[in-house]
Amino acid sequence: MAITVIVGAQYGDEGKGKMSDYLAKDADFVARFQGGDNAGHTVLNQYGVFKMHLVPCGVFTPGVINFIGTGTAVNPDVLIEELDTLNDVGIDTSELYLSERAQLVLPYHVQLDEQMEARSSGIGTTKRGIGQAYAFKLLRKNPRAGDLRDIDEFERILGEANDIGIPGIDFAIPRSTLERWAERLVPILREPLSLVHGQIAAGKNLLFEGQLGVMKDIDQGIYPFVTSSHTTASYAAVSAGFPARLITDVIGVAKAFESAVGKGHFPTEMGEDEAAPLRGTGENPDDEYGARTGRSRRLGWLDMEVLRFAHKINGFDALALTKLDKLDALAEIKVCTHYASGTSEPVYRAFPGWLSDTTKCKTFDALPTEAQAYVRFIEAELNVPVRWIGNGPVRDDVIAR
Ligand code: GDP
Ligand code: IMO
Ligand code: MG
């Protein structure tokens, strides 16, 4: 039995989707435990290229149960469309379940997010209504997935939300829409505790696929430029309803450099001339454009202060260092070792580049010595082993150590 949690160690888009798809081979159960379709988790495997929003990346591995857990915020239309897209290319989703306690993201949440983002006080969200759905959850005025079983009850909750009274926001949802959602989603609803505890009792391997990264956690991140959920490992236990001490492995996914989308503090942000070669044009699935919004990602150098912080919060047992190959063409690679005393001004150490192709390397020893030194520096600084190194976007472009 193992309970493994995969989380982002930076600002999101570290490659959690690829690592979840890769590690699903050892899992019986893969779950999303927070966030919603603000996620864009890119997977490239034998079935094609997928940008996953709500469905866990374990769905490509036969025999795995996939679960959208209680702490998530689920837009029914997005989930139905995602299931259709997967089914159209022959992916079996018959063992994909949705917690009856998951919160729903509804059209008025999206509308409100869009309106708030149109103001100068917008924080650069993905405009998917995620923060708004969680806000109504905290007000205890939000329908949950299980409420789709009883449309009258669902409409009563909508009425209570409407009573809050937000000018210009229409809370009504046509009954035909609610019936359509119910028809598709009620059959996949599950009572979450018996499902999760059944897996634990049977000694299964559970994998929790985090969304976003620690710097965007609602409590620990760069508030207010954060998401509205907990992006940290212990929330997997809160969301799924088991004691946090049952988590056996926490895997931090870190990019070999950094990226961030949206506004907010980003100390090691690169200038555009440095960023452009890493970003690419958007033609390739691993170019640095938002998998959800298509926005050009802000890029930065690796920041050890961020990784130390991520480790402090999450307690990593191991790291997956992704996109090492993207540094192949750089003559010099900068790493922020710390911030100048009393500031968040990065102090950099320059590492020599390796100026060679790492994408064909199958073992750590086959990597150029400069690349090995880069990896060893990170693990020595954090005292956490880098167990996986990503050297390409495809599922098996991973050097396992
Ligand atoms: P996530 O949100 O954490 O799942 O990450 P995204 O999918 O949003 O962004 C990560 C991007 O990096 C995707 O385009 C992946 O295909 C790509 N990727 C992940 N690991 C690697 C790697 O090791 N090398 C390369 N070249 N691309 C990678
Ligand atoms: P994955 O799971 C990168 C960012 C938004 C914004 C902030 C709040 O693919 O790593 P929200 O829509 O959540 O209210 O926006 O969080 N953001 C992401 N950035 N990757 C994501 O997901 C993101 N999900 C949200 O850009 O700064
Ligand atoms: Mg992403």
Side-chain angles (χ1 to χ4, degrees):
M1 200 276 288
I3 299 185
T4 304
V5 188
I6 292 181
V7 285
Q10 294 154 330
Y11 299 81
D13 302 331
E14 297 92 347
K16 301 173 293 292
K18 177 189 151 180
M19 288 310 299
S20 300
D21 178 46
Y22 172 80
L23 290 172
K25 61 183 179 342
D26 301 322
D28 300 296
F29 173 95
V30 179
R32 282 280 308 273
F33 60 94
Q34 41 76 229
D37 71 288
N38 47 348
H41 291 184
T42 314
V43 167
L44 280 79
N45 57 26
Q46 73 268 38
Y47 304 106
V49 178
F50 303 88
K51 294 193 184 290
M52 308 295 284
H53 302 305
L54 285 163
V55 174
C57 294
V59 76
F60 303 101
T61 303
V64 168
I65 294 174
N66 286 273
F67 188 52
I68 303 174
T70 298
T72 61
V74 176
N75 182 320
D77 279 327
V78 174
L79 178 55
I80 291 167
E81 191 185 332
E82 192 163 347
L83 291 173
D84 286 345
T85 305
L86 291 166
N87 295 157
D88 284 350
V89 294
I91 309 295
D92 177 14
T93 57
S94 60
E95 290 232 73
L96 179 277
Y97 303 112
L98 169 63
S99 168
E100 64 188 14
R101 290 175 166 253
Q103 299 290 325
L104 294 183
V105 179
L106 299 168
Y108 54 85
H109 298 130
V110 178
Q111 212 185 324
L112 195 53
D113 198 353
E114 282 166 352
Q115 284 188 11
M116 290 176 70
E117 283 300 304
R119 300 186 190 126
S120 57
S121 53
I123 62 154
T125 72
T126 58
K127 299 186 199 169
R128 311 303 304 188
I130 304 299
Q132 289 67 21
Y134 280 126
F136 278 86
K137 162 185 170 173
L138 294 191
L139 291 172
R140 293 142 298 175
K141 298 291 178 206
N142 204 53
R144 299 189 294 184
D147 293 316
L148 286 168
R149 290 190 181 113
D150 180 347
I151 304 287
D152 290 337
E153 171 63 7
F154 198 111
E155 287 182 329
R156 192 192 61 74
I157 300 168
L158 288 183
E160 283 196 3
N162 189 40
D163 287 345
I164 296 169
I166 301 179
I169 295 291
D170 183 5
F171 286 78
I173 300 175
R175 204 172 165 96
S176 59
T177 302
L178 298 178
E179 284 166 355
R180 182 168 51 79
W181 291 345
E183 192 184 321
R184 281 299 294 278
L185 300 183
V186 168
I188 66 169
L189 292 176
R190 283 293 178 281
E191 192 288 300
L193 283 186
S194 51
L195 177 59
V196 170
H197 282 269
Q199 293 286 307
I200 295 173
K204 303 285 188 186
N205 292 329
L206 291 76
L207 179 65
F208 288 87
E209 174 182 345
Q211 192 255 327
L212 251 174
V214 65
M215 301 308 286
K216 300 269 191 168
D217 179 275
I218 181 79
D219 280 339
Q220 308 299 342
I222 51 168
Y223 187 88
F225 302 103
V226 293
T227 195
S228 300
S229 68
H230 295 284
T231 59
T232 43
S234 44
Y235 193 71
V238 176
S239 165
F242 60 79
R245 66 186 145 75
L246 291 188
I247 296 172
T248 54
D249 298 277
V250 177
I251 299 172
V253 185
K255 236 177 228 189
F257 49 100
E258 276 184 357
S259 71
V261 194
K263 297 181 196 169
H265 196 54
F266 190 25
T268 61
E269 188 163 9
M270 295 171 179
E272 195 42 42
D273 48 335
E274 286 175 322
L278 286 172
R279 181 178 295 119
T281 57
E283 278 165 67
N284 306 306
D286 57 344
D287 288 346
E288 293 291 349
Y289 293 81
R292 176 75 266 187
T293 59
R295 286 180 289 177
S296 172
R297 290 180 183 146
R298 299 163 68 192
L299 299 184
W301 298 108
L302 191 73
D303 187 339
M304 294 311 296
E305 292 275 13
V306 164
L307 290 187
R308 277 191 285 269
F309 176 75
H311 182 38
K312 183 186 283 181
I313 305 286
N314 288 295
F316 298 136
D317 296 289
L319 281 178
L321 186 70
T322 61
K323 291 203 153 181
L324 191 75
D325 55 299
K326 288 287 174 179
L327 303 178
D328 284 354
L330 301 190
E332 184 183 90
I333 299 157
K334 290 202 290 190
V335 174
C336 166
T337 53
H338 58 284
Y339 302 149
S341 169
T343 73
S344 57
E345 208 45 56
V347 176
Y348 289 107
R349 171 169 163 188
F351 284 76
W354 39 94
L355 297 172
S356 60
D357 181 6
T358 59
T359 60
K360 303 286 179 298
C361 298
K362 297 284 178 217
T363 62
F364 186 71
D365 292 341
L367 286 171
T369 51
E370 295 85 351
Q372 292 184 18
Y374 190 73
V375 175
R376 286 208 171 101
F377 169 78
I378 295 165
E379 53 188 9
E381 280 289 304
L382 293 176
N383 197 21
V384 177
V386 174
R387 277 189 59 197
W388 301 274
I389 296 162
N391 62 343
V394 179
R395 178 196 274 173
D396 291 321
D397 292 337
V398 174
I399 297 171
R401 304 165 75 204

